[in-house]
Amino acid sequence: MKISLKSPKPRNPHFVAALRRVAGLHRPSAGGSRQRLHRELRVEIDRLRPSP
């Protein structure tokens, strides 16, 4: 009686490479620009406050 083991399906070599590639916009995100504007506004408000 011969024992035969099923070998796993071969992996797709292109799939792993595709997971490592990251695609997206080539500009800063909208969230980042909103945060930057919020920080700049805070600095300006603090600068305009009268010092005691």
Side-chain angles (χ1 to χ4, degrees):
M1 181 177 202
K2 227 180 203 184
I3 298 175
S4 63
L5 297 175
K6 259 190 166 176
S7 63
K9 210 169 157 182
R11 292 179 182 241
N12 182 352
H14 301 290
F15 180 73
V16 178
L19 282 180
R20 290 178 183 241
R21 282 194 290 272
V22 178
L25 296 174
H26 294 281
R27 61 179 176 215
S29 65
S33 61
R34 273 196 308 271
Q35 286 180 10
R36 182 177 44 79
L37 289 173
H38 186 71
R39 278 195 308 269
E40 290 173 0
L41 181 62
R42 269 282 136 218
V43 168
E44 190 173 344
I45 288 172
D46 289 341
R47 190 174 47 84
L48 292 175
R49 269 194 197 141
S51 58

